[in-house]
Amino acid sequence: QKEVEQNSGPLSVPEGAIASLNCTYSDRGSQSFFWYRQYSGKSPELIMSIYSNGDKEDGRFTAQLNKASQYVSLLIRDSQPSDSATYLCAVNPSGSARQLTFGSGTQLTVLP
Amino acid sequence: SAVISQKPSRDICQRGTSLTIQCQVDSQVTMMFWYRQQPGQSLTLIATANQGSEATYESGFVIDKFPISRPNLTFSTLTVSNMSPEDSSIYLCSVEGRGGLEQFFGPGTRLTVL
């Protein structure tokens, strides 16, 4: 079974700090990786995608991918209370066309 | 990204009945996906719906319980049949993005079965 694992949290950080969210995946052939943000009662919203090893930055968000270690992370700089949400890691496993496998999510709380 | 709508946004249904959920997107897409998100849980893929072909169901989901229609490139329906309280969940449709790999989600349908 192709799995995606995240620490469920909750993770609490003070406002202005860096929040670090981690995700590991079991399928070494996975090629596409995504981070979604889900506010309570809302649907998931795509915030980052990453396809190659290294870092990808978009505003306050940085996604990091290490395929050798089967590890993908999301850093949120200058965290704001509005960043408080559940963050879902999603992976497109090999041989699965365009389906995504989601992790269980990490609940982040940014404290004012 | 595409604008996706779902109907109904929420419903309360009686055991043994069926509910059809509609998903409409404002642009043509090849692939649409249906997910279930049970309370406090992550997303589980139910099936993939391509226009002009039968839906492909994931392990644990069957067509008799979750029939899907995909009549054109902008619309799909998911029916939850013969419902039980265990079917209480949020049902989400998603569509592929222009890059073909990412997915964008509709607002979801919150279903409660009594």
Side-chain angles (χ1 to χ4, degrees):
Chain A
Q1 184 176 359
K2 297 173 180 177
E3 297 181 344
V4 179
E5 296 192 0
Q6 298 179 250
N7 291 331
S8 61
L11 172 66
S12 295
V13 300
E15 183 174 357
I18 296 175
S20 178
L21 306 166
N22 304 317
C23 173
T24 59
Y25 57 95
S26 63
D27 180 19
R28 185 169 291 277
S30 300
Q31 295 295 322
S32 307
F33 308 87
F34 307 92
W35 283 99
Y36 287 82
R37 176 175 63 197
Q38 187 173 27
Y39 292 114
S40 180
K42 301 295 185 181
S43 63
E45 172 191 10
L46 179 67
I47 55 172
M48 288 290 284
S49 59
I50 188 166
Y51 306 106
S52 56
N53 280 328
D55 295 359
K56 179 182 178 182
E57 186 175 318
D58 184 0
R60 294 187 296 111
F61 298 101
T62 299
Q64 299 175 318
L65 175 61
N66 184 326
K67 290 185 179 180
S69 300
Q70 296 175 235
Y71 176 94
V72 58
S73 65
L74 179 70
L75 302 177
I76 307 174
R77 291 183 301 281
D78 188 23
S79 296
Q80 302 296 310
S82 59
D83 295 325
S84 299
T86 297
Y87 289 80
L88 300 167
C89 174
V91 176
N92 173 237
S94 58
S96 63
R98 296 168 183 170
Q99 287 97 345
L100 296 179
T101 300
F102 283 82
S104 58
T106 298
Q107 184 179 344
L108 172 66
T109 300
V110 180
L111 304 171
Chain B
S1 60
V3 176
I4 307 165
S5 60
Q6 284 186 237
K7 291 181 181 179
S9 59
R10 59 178 62 228
D11 207 341
I12 301 173
C13 301
Q14 296 297 319
R15 180 195 298 261
T17 63
S18 297
L19 176 72
T20 295
I21 302 167
Q22 300 179 7
C23 180
Q24 178 79 52
V25 61
D26 69 344
S27 58
Q28 294 184 341
V29 293
T30 301
M31 301 184 76
M32 297 179 76
F33 306 87
W34 286 98
Y35 290 84
R36 180 173 73 184
Q37 187 173 31
Q38 296 181 306
Q41 303 297 312
S42 189
L43 284 76
T44 301
L45 180 64
I46 298 172
T48 301
N50 289 342
Q51 194 269 336
S53 63
E54 294 290 326
T56 302
Y57 289 82
E58 298 300 302
S59 176
F61 298 96
V62 295
I63 188 172
D64 289 346
K65 176 67 175 178
F66 297 101
I68 288 171
S69 77
R70 182 76 201 276
N72 57 53
L73 291 172
T74 63
F75 186 79
S76 179
T77 67
L78 170 76
T79 298
V80 186
S81 303
N82 188 25
M83 288 183 286
S84 67
E86 292 70 34
D87 294 319
S88 297
S89 188
I90 298 172
Y91 291 86
L92 295 147
C93 70
S94 73
V95 304
E96 57 178 353
R98 290 179 180 176
L101 297 173
E102 70 278 16
Q103 293 180 22
F104 298 96
F105 286 85
T109 295
R110 182 180 296 273
L111 170 63
T112 302
V113 184
L114 302 177

Coordinates of all heavy atoms in Angstrom, one line a residue, chain B residues 7-85:
Chain B
K7 N -23.6 20.8 -5.5 CA -24.9 20.9 -4.9 C -25.3 19.5 -4.5 O -25.0 18.5 -5.1 CB -25.9 21.4 -6.0 CG -25.8 22.8 -6.5 CD -26.9 23.1 -7.5 CE -26.8 24.5 -8.0 NZ -27.8 24.8 -9.0
P8 N -26.0 19.4 -3.3 CA -26.2 20.5 -2.4 C -25.0 20.7 -1.5 O -24.0 19.9 -1.6 CB -27.3 19.9 -1.5 CG -27.0 18.4 -1.5 CD -26.5 18.1 -2.9
S9 N -24.9 21.8 -0.8 CA -23.8 22.1 0.1 C -23.9 21.2 1.3 O -22.8 20.9 1.9 CB -23.8 23.6 0.4 OG -25.0 23.9 1.1
R10 N -25.1 20.9 1.7 CA -25.2 20.0 2.9 C -26.6 19.4 2.8 O -27.5 19.9 2.2 CB -25.1 20.7 4.2 CG -26.0 21.9 4.4 CD -25.8 22.5 5.8 NE -24.4 23.1 5.9 CZ -23.7 22.8 7.0 NH1 -24.1 22.0 8.0 NH2 -22.5 23.4 7.0
D11 N -26.8 18.2 3.4 CA -28.1 17.6 3.5 C -28.1 16.6 4.7 O -27.1 16.1 5.1 CB -28.4 16.8 2.2 CG -29.9 16.7 1.9 OD1 -30.7 16.9 2.8 OD2 -30.2 16.4 0.7
I12 N -29.3 16.5 5.2 CA -29.6 15.5 6.2 C -30.6 14.5 5.6 O -31.6 14.9 5.2 CB -30.2 16.1 7.5 CG1 -29.2 17.2 8.0 CG2 -30.5 15.1 8.5 CD1 -29.7 18.0 9.2
C13 N -30.2 13.2 5.7 CA -31.0 12.2 5.0 C -31.3 11.0 5.9 O -30.6 10.8 6.9 CB -30.2 11.6 3.8 SG -29.8 12.9 2.5
Q14 N -32.3 10.3 5.6 CA -32.7 9.2 6.3 C -32.0 7.9 5.9 O -31.7 7.8 4.7 CB -34.2 9.0 6.2 CG -35.1 10.1 6.9 CD -34.8 10.3 8.3 OE1 -34.7 9.3 9.1 NE2 -34.7 11.5 8.8
R15 N -31.8 7.0 6.8 CA -31.2 5.7 6.5 C -32.0 5.1 5.3 O -33.2 5.1 5.3 CB -31.2 4.9 7.7 CG -30.6 3.5 7.6 CD -31.1 2.6 8.8 NE -30.5 3.2 10.0 CZ -29.5 2.8 10.6 NH1 -28.8 1.8 10.1 NH2 -29.1 3.3 11.8
G16 N -31.3 4.4 4.4 CA -31.9 3.7 3.3 C -32.2 4.5 2.1 O -32.6 3.9 1.0
T17 N -32.1 5.8 2.2 CA -32.4 6.6 1.0 C -31.1 6.9 0.2 O -30.0 6.4 0.6 CB -33.0 8.0 1.4 OG1 -32.1 8.7 2.2 CG2 -34.3 7.7 2.2
S18 N -31.2 7.6 -0.9 CA -30.1 7.9 -1.8 C -30.0 9.4 -2.0 O -31.0 10.1 -2.0 CB -30.2 7.2 -3.1 OG -30.2 5.8 -2.9
L19 N -28.8 9.9 -2.2 CA -28.6 11.3 -2.4 C -27.6 11.4 -3.6 O -26.6 10.7 -3.7 CB -28.0 12.0 -1.2 CG -27.6 13.5 -1.4 CD1 -28.9 14.3 -1.5 CD2 -26.7 14.0 -0.3
T20 N -28.0 12.3 -4.6 CA -27.1 12.6 -5.7 C -26.5 13.9 -5.5 O -27.2 14.9 -5.3 CB -27.9 12.5 -7.0 OG1 -28.4 11.2 -7.2 CG2 -27.0 12.9 -8.2
I21 N -25.2 14.0 -5.6 CA -24.4 15.2 -5.5 C -23.9 15.6 -6.8 O -23.4 14.8 -7.6 CB -23.2 14.9 -4.5 CG1 -23.7 14.4 -3.2 CG2 -22.3 16.2 -4.4 CD1 -22.6 13.9 -2.3
Q22 N -24.1 16.9 -7.1 CA -23.7 17.4 -8.4 C -22.4 18.2 -8.3 O -22.2 18.9 -7.3 CB -24.8 18.3 -9.0 CG -26.1 17.6 -9.2 CD -27.1 18.6 -9.8 OE1 -26.8 19.7 -10.1 NE2 -28.4 18.1 -9.8
C23 N -21.6 18.1 -9.3 CA -20.3 18.9 -9.4 C -20.2 19.5 -10.8 O -20.3 18.8 -11.8 CB -19.1 18.0 -9.2 SG -17.5 18.8 -9.2
Q24 N -20.1 20.9 -10.8 CA -20.1 21.6 -12.0 C -18.8 22.4 -12.0 O -18.4 23.1 -11.0 CB -21.3 22.6 -12.1 CG -21.3 23.5 -13.3 CD -21.9 22.7 -14.5 OE1 -22.9 22.1 -14.5 NE2 -21.1 22.8 -15.6
V25 N -18.1 22.4 -13.2 CA -16.9 23.2 -13.3 C -17.0 24.2 -14.5 O -17.8 23.9 -15.4 CB -15.7 22.3 -13.5 CG1 -15.8 21.4 -14.7 CG2 -14.4 23.1 -13.5
D26 N -16.4 25.3 -14.4 CA -16.6 26.4 -15.4 C -15.8 26.2 -16.6 O -15.8 27.1 -17.5 CB -16.4 27.7 -14.8 CG -15.0 28.0 -14.4 OD1 -14.2 27.1 -14.4 OD2 -14.7 29.2 -14.2
S27 N -15.0 25.2 -16.7 CA -14.2 24.9 -17.9 C -14.1 23.4 -18.2 O -14.4 22.6 -17.3 CB -12.8 25.5 -17.8 OG -12.2 24.9 -16.7
Q28 N -13.8 23.1 -19.4 CA -13.8 21.6 -19.7 C -12.5 21.0 -19.1 O -11.4 21.5 -19.2 CB -13.8 21.5 -21.2 CG -15.1 21.9 -21.9 CD -15.1 21.7 -23.4 OE1 -14.1 21.5 -24.0 NE2 -16.3 21.7 -24.0
V29 N -12.7 19.9 -18.5 CA -11.7 19.1 -17.9 C -11.8 17.6 -18.2 O -13.0 17.1 -18.3 CB -11.6 19.2 -16.3 CG1 -11.3 20.7 -16.0 CG2 -12.9 18.8 -15.7
T30 N -10.7 17.0 -18.4 CA -10.8 15.6 -18.8 C -11.1 14.7 -17.6 O -12.0 13.8 -17.6 CB -9.4 15.1 -19.4 OG1 -9.1 15.9 -20.5 CG2 -9.5 13.6 -19.8
M31 N -10.4 14.9 -16.5 CA -10.6 14.1 -15.3 C -11.2 14.8 -14.2 O -10.9 15.9 -13.8 CB -9.2 13.5 -14.9 CG -8.5 12.7 -16.0 SD -7.0 12.0 -15.5 CE -7.6 10.6 -14.5
M32 N -12.2 14.1 -13.5 CA -12.8 14.6 -12.3 C -12.7 13.5 -11.3 O -12.7 12.3 -11.6 CB -14.3 15.0 -12.5 CG -14.4 16.2 -13.5 SD -16.1 16.6 -13.8 CE -16.5 17.5 -12.3
F33 N -12.6 13.9 -10.0 CA -12.4 12.9 -9.0 C -13.4 13.2 -7.9 O -13.8 14.3 -7.6 CB -11.0 13.1 -8.4 CG -9.8 13.0 -9.4 CD1 -9.4 14.2 -10.1 CD2 -9.2 11.8 -9.7 CE1 -8.4 14.1 -11.0 CE2 -8.2 11.8 -10.6 CZ -7.8 12.9 -11.3
W34 N -13.8 12.1 -7.2 CA -14.7 12.2 -6.1 C -13.9 11.6 -4.8 O -13.4 10.5 -4.9 CB -15.9 11.4 -6.3 CG -16.9 12.1 -7.3 CD1 -17.0 11.8 -8.6 CD2 -17.8 13.1 -7.0 NE1 -17.9 12.6 -9.2 CE2 -18.4 13.5 -8.2 CE3 -18.1 13.8 -5.8 CZ2 -19.4 14.5 -8.2 CZ3 -19.1 14.8 -5.9 CH2 -19.7 15.1 -7.1
Y35 N -14.0 12.4 -3.7 CA -13.3 12.0 -2.5 C -14.4 12.0 -1.4 O -15.4 12.7 -1.4 CB -12.2 13.0 -2.1 CG -11.0 13.0 -3.0 CD1 -11.0 13.7 -4.2 CD2 -9.9 12.3 -2.6 CE1 -9.8 13.7 -4.9 CE2 -8.7 12.3 -3.3 CZ -8.7 13.0 -4.5 OH -7.6 13.0 -5.3
R36 N -14.0 11.3 -0.3 CA -14.8 11.3 0.9 C -13.8 11.8 2.0 O -12.7 11.3 2.1 CB -15.4 9.9 1.2 CG -16.2 9.9 2.5 CD -16.8 8.5 2.6 NE -15.9 7.5 3.0 CZ -16.3 6.2 3.1 NH1 -17.5 5.8 2.8 NH2 -15.4 5.3 3.4
Q37 N -14.3 12.6 2.9 CA -13.6 13.0 4.1 C -14.4 12.8 5.3 O -15.3 13.6 5.5 CB -13.1 14.5 3.9 CG -12.1 14.9 5.1 CD -11.5 16.2 4.9 OE1 -12.1 17.1 4.3 NE2 -10.3 16.4 5.3
Q38 N -14.2 11.8 6.0 CA -14.9 11.5 7.2 C -14.5 12.4 8.4 O -13.3 13.0 8.3 CB -14.8 10.0 7.6 CG -15.5 9.2 6.5 CD -15.4 7.7 6.8 OE1 -14.4 7.2 7.0 NE2 -16.6 7.1 6.7
P39 N -15.3 12.7 9.4 CA -15.0 13.6 10.4 C -13.6 13.4 11.0 O -13.2 12.3 11.4 CB -16.1 13.4 11.4 CG -17.2 12.9 10.6 CD -16.6 12.0 9.6
G40 N -12.8 14.5 11.0 CA -11.4 14.4 11.5 C -10.4 13.6 10.8 O -9.3 13.4 11.2
Q41 N -10.8 13.2 9.6 CA -9.9 12.3 8.8 C -9.4 13.1 7.5 O -9.9 14.2 7.2 CB -10.7 11.1 8.4 CG -11.2 10.2 9.5 CD -10.2 9.7 10.4 OE1 -9.1 9.1 9.9 NE2 -10.3 9.9 11.7
S42 N -8.5 12.4 6.8 CA -8.0 13.0 5.6 C -8.9 12.5 4.4 O -10.0 12.0 4.6 CB -6.6 12.5 5.4 OG -6.0 13.2 4.3
L43 N -8.5 12.8 3.2 CA -9.3 12.6 2.1 C -9.0 11.2 1.5 O -7.9 10.7 1.4 CB -9.0 13.6 1.0 CG -9.6 15.0 1.1 CD1 -8.8 15.8 2.1 CD2 -9.6 15.7 -0.2
T44 N -10.1 10.5 1.2 CA -10.0 9.2 0.6 C -10.6 9.2 -0.8 O -11.8 9.6 -0.9 CB -10.7 8.1 1.4 OG1 -10.1 8.1 2.7 CG2 -10.6 6.7 0.8
L45 N -9.9 8.8 -1.8 CA -10.4 8.8 -3.2 C -11.4 7.7 -3.3 O -11.2 6.6 -3.0 CB -9.3 8.6 -4.2 CG -9.6 8.6 -5.7 CD1 -10.2 10.0 -6.1 CD2 -8.4 8.3 -6.5
I46 N -12.6 8.1 -3.8 CA -13.7 7.1 -4.1 C -13.5 6.6 -5.5 O -13.5 5.4 -5.8 CB -15.1 7.8 -4.0 CG1 -15.3 8.2 -2.5 CG2 -16.1 6.8 -4.4 CD1 -16.6 9.0 -2.4
A47 N -13.4 7.5 -6.5 CA -13.3 7.1 -7.9 C -12.9 8.3 -8.8 O -12.9 9.4 -8.4 CB -14.7 6.6 -8.4
T48 N -12.4 7.9 -9.9 CA -12.0 8.8 -11.0 C -13.0 8.7 -12.1 O -13.4 7.6 -12.6 CB -10.6 8.5 -11.5 OG1 -9.7 8.5 -10.4 CG2 -10.2 9.5 -12.6
A49 N -13.5 9.9 -12.6 CA -14.5 9.9 -13.6 C -14.0 10.6 -14.8 O -13.7 11.8 -14.8 CB -15.8 10.6 -13.1
N50 N -13.9 9.9 -15.9 CA -13.5 10.4 -17.2 C -14.7 10.5 -18.1 O -15.6 9.6 -18.1 CB -12.5 9.6 -17.9 CG -11.1 9.7 -17.2 OD1 -10.9 10.6 -16.4 ND2 -10.3 8.7 -17.4
Q51 N -14.9 11.6 -18.9 CA -16.0 11.7 -19.8 C -16.0 10.6 -20.8 O -14.9 10.4 -21.4 CB -16.0 13.1 -20.4 CG -17.3 13.4 -21.1 CD -17.3 13.0 -22.5 OE1 -16.3 12.9 -23.2 NE2 -18.5 12.9 -23.1
G52 N -17.1 10.0 -21.0 CA -17.2 9.0 -22.1 C -16.8 7.6 -21.7 O -16.7 6.7 -22.5
S53 N -16.4 7.4 -20.4 CA -16.0 6.0 -20.0 C -16.5 5.8 -18.6 O -16.9 6.7 -17.9 CB -14.5 5.9 -20.0 OG -13.9 6.7 -19.1
E54 N -16.5 4.5 -18.2 CA -17.0 4.2 -16.9 C -16.0 4.7 -15.8 O -14.8 4.8 -16.1 CB -17.0 2.6 -16.7 CG -18.1 2.0 -17.6 CD -19.5 2.3 -17.1 OE1 -19.7 2.4 -15.9 OE2 -20.4 2.4 -18.0
A55 N -16.5 5.1 -14.7 CA -15.7 5.5 -13.6 C -14.8 4.4 -13.1 O -15.2 3.2 -13.2 CB -16.5 6.1 -12.5
T56 N -13.6 4.8 -12.6 CA -12.7 3.8 -12.0 C -12.7 4.0 -10.5 O -12.4 5.0 -10.0 CB -11.3 4.1 -12.5 OG1 -11.2 4.0 -13.9 CG2 -10.3 3.0 -11.9
Y57 N -13.1 2.9 -9.8 CA -13.3 2.9 -8.4 C -12.1 2.4 -7.6 O -11.4 1.5 -8.1 CB -14.5 2.1 -8.0 CG -15.8 2.7 -8.4 CD1 -16.3 2.6 -9.7 CD2 -16.6 3.5 -7.5 CE1 -17.5 3.2 -10.1 CE2 -17.7 4.1 -7.9 CZ -18.2 4.0 -9.2 OH -19.3 4.6 -9.6
E58 N -11.8 3.0 -6.5 CA -10.7 2.6 -5.6 C -11.2 1.4 -4.8 O -12.4 1.1 -4.6 CB -10.3 3.7 -4.7 CG -9.7 4.9 -5.5 CD -8.5 4.6 -6.4 OE1 -7.5 4.1 -5.8 OE2 -8.6 4.8 -7.6
S59 N -10.2 0.7 -4.2 CA -10.5 -0.4 -3.4 C -11.4 0.0 -2.2 O -11.1 1.0 -1.6 CB -9.2 -1.0 -2.9 OG -9.4 -2.0 -2.0
G60 N -12.4 -0.8 -2.0 CA -13.3 -0.5 -0.9 C -14.6 0.3 -1.4 O -15.5 0.5 -0.6
F61 N -14.6 0.7 -2.6 CA -15.8 1.5 -3.1 C -16.3 0.7 -4.4 O -15.5 0.3 -5.2 CB -15.4 2.9 -3.5 CG -14.9 3.7 -2.3 CD1 -13.5 3.8 -2.0 CD2 -15.8 4.3 -1.5 CE1 -13.1 4.5 -1.0 CE2 -15.3 5.0 -0.4 CZ -14.0 5.1 -0.1
V62 N -17.6 0.6 -4.4 CA -18.2 -0.1 -5.6 C -19.3 0.7 -6.2 O -19.9 1.6 -5.6 CB -18.8 -1.5 -5.1 CG1 -17.7 -2.4 -4.6 CG2 -19.9 -1.3 -4.0
I63 N -19.5 0.4 -7.5 CA -20.4 1.2 -8.3 C -21.8 1.1 -7.8 O -22.6 2.1 -7.9 CB -20.3 0.7 -9.8 CG1 -21.1 1.6 -10.7 CG2 -20.8 -0.7 -9.9 CD1 -20.9 1.4 -12.2
D64 N -22.3 0.0 -7.2 CA -23.6 -0.1 -6.8 C -23.9 0.8 -5.6 O -25.0 1.3 -5.4 CB -23.9 -1.6 -6.3 CG -24.0 -2.5 -7.5 OD1 -24.1 -2.1 -8.6 OD2 -24.0 -3.8 -7.2
K65 N -22.9 1.1 -4.8 CA -23.1 2.0 -3.7 C -22.8 3.4 -4.1 O -23.5 4.3 -3.6 CB -22.0 1.6 -2.6 CG -22.0 2.5 -1.4 CD -23.3 2.4 -0.6 CE -23.1 3.2 0.7 NZ -24.4 3.2 1.5
F66 N -21.9 3.7 -5.0 CA -21.5 5.0 -5.4 C -21.6 5.2 -6.9 O -20.5 5.4 -7.5 CB -20.1 5.4 -4.8 CG -20.0 5.4 -3.4 CD1 -19.4 4.3 -2.7 CD2 -20.5 6.4 -2.6 CE1 -19.3 4.3 -1.3 CE2 -20.3 6.5 -1.2 CZ -19.7 5.4 -0.6
P67 N -22.7 5.1 -7.5 CA -22.8 5.3 -9.0 C -22.4 6.7 -9.4 O -22.8 7.6 -8.7 CB -24.2 4.9 -9.3 CG -25.0 5.0 -8.1 CD -24.0 4.7 -7.0
I68 N -21.6 6.8 -10.4 CA -21.1 8.1 -10.9 C -21.5 8.3 -12.4 O -21.5 7.3 -13.2 CB -19.6 8.1 -10.8 CG1 -19.2 8.2 -9.3 CG2 -19.0 9.3 -11.6 CD1 -17.7 8.1 -9.1
S69 N -21.9 9.5 -12.7 CA -22.2 9.8 -14.1 C -21.2 10.9 -14.5 O -20.8 11.8 -13.7 CB -23.6 10.3 -14.3 OG -23.8 11.6 -13.8
R70 N -20.8 10.9 -15.8 CA -20.0 12.0 -16.3 C -20.4 12.3 -17.7 O -19.8 11.8 -18.7 CB -18.5 11.5 -16.3 CG -17.5 12.5 -16.7 CD -17.2 13.6 -15.7 NE -16.7 14.8 -16.4 CZ -15.4 15.0 -16.7 NH1 -14.5 14.0 -16.4 NH2 -15.0 16.1 -17.2
P71 N -21.5 13.0 -17.9 CA -22.1 13.1 -19.2 C -21.4 14.1 -20.1 O -21.5 14.0 -21.3 CB -23.5 13.7 -18.9 CG -23.3 14.4 -17.5 CD -22.3 13.6 -16.8
N72 N -20.6 15.0 -19.6 CA -19.8 15.9 -20.4 C -18.6 16.4 -19.7 O -18.3 15.9 -18.6 CB -20.7 17.1 -20.8 CG -21.3 17.9 -19.6 OD1 -20.5 18.3 -18.8 ND2 -22.6 18.0 -19.6
L73 N -17.8 17.3 -20.3 CA -16.5 17.7 -19.7 C -16.6 18.7 -18.6 O -15.6 19.1 -18.1 CB -15.6 18.2 -20.9 CG -15.2 17.1 -21.9 CD1 -14.5 17.8 -23.1 CD2 -14.3 16.1 -21.3
T74 N -17.8 19.1 -18.2 CA -17.9 20.1 -17.2 C -18.8 19.7 -16.0 O -19.0 20.4 -15.1 CB -18.5 21.4 -17.7 OG1 -19.9 21.2 -18.2 CG2 -17.7 22.0 -18.9
F75 N -19.3 18.4 -16.0 CA -20.3 18.0 -15.0 C -20.1 16.6 -14.7 O -19.8 15.7 -15.5 CB -21.7 18.3 -15.6 CG -22.8 18.0 -14.7 CD1 -23.1 19.0 -13.7 CD2 -23.6 16.9 -14.7 CE1 -24.2 18.8 -12.9 CE2 -24.6 16.7 -13.9 CZ -24.9 17.6 -12.9
S76 N -20.4 16.3 -13.4 CA -20.4 14.9 -12.9 C -21.3 14.8 -11.7 O -21.6 15.8 -11.0 CB -19.0 14.5 -12.5 OG -19.0 13.1 -12.0
T77 N -21.9 13.6 -11.5 CA -22.7 13.4 -10.3 C -22.1 12.2 -9.6 O -21.6 11.2 -10.2 CB -24.2 13.2 -10.6 OG1 -24.3 12.0 -11.3 CG2 -24.7 14.4 -11.4
L78 N -22.3 12.2 -8.3 CA -22.0 11.0 -7.4 C -23.3 10.7 -6.6 O -23.8 11.7 -6.0 CB -20.9 11.3 -6.4 CG -20.6 10.3 -5.3 CD1 -19.9 9.1 -5.9 CD2 -19.8 10.9 -4.2
T79 N -23.7 9.5 -6.7 CA -24.9 9.1 -5.9 C -24.4 8.3 -4.7 O -23.6 7.3 -4.9 CB -25.9 8.4 -6.7 OG1 -26.4 9.2 -7.8 CG2 -27.1 7.9 -5.9
V80 N -24.9 8.6 -3.5 CA -24.6 7.7 -2.4 C -25.9 6.9 -2.1 O -27.0 7.5 -1.8 CB -24.3 8.5 -1.1 CG1 -23.9 7.6 0.0 CG2 -23.1 9.5 -1.4
S81 N -25.9 5.6 -2.4 CA -27.1 4.8 -2.4 C -27.3 4.1 -1.1 O -26.3 3.7 -0.4 CB -27.0 3.8 -3.5 OG -26.8 4.4 -4.8
N82 N -28.6 3.8 -0.8 CA -28.9 3.0 0.4 C -28.1 3.4 1.6 O -27.4 2.6 2.2 CB -28.7 1.5 0.1 CG -29.3 0.7 1.2 OD1 -30.2 1.0 2.0 ND2 -28.7 -0.5 1.3
M83 N -28.2 4.7 2.0 CA -27.3 5.3 3.0 C -27.5 4.7 4.4 O -28.6 4.4 4.8 CB -27.5 6.8 3.0 CG -27.0 7.5 1.7 SD -27.1 9.3 1.8 CE -28.9 9.5 1.5
S84 N -26.4 4.7 5.1 CA -26.4 4.4 6.5 C -25.7 5.5 7.2 O -25.0 6.3 6.6 CB -25.7 3.0 6.7 OG -24.3 3.1 6.4
P85 N -25.8 5.5 8.6 CA -25.0 6.6 9.3 C -23.5 6.6 9.0 O -22.9 7.7 9.1 CB -25.4 6.2 10.8 CG -26.7 5.6 10.7 CD -26.7 4.8 9.4

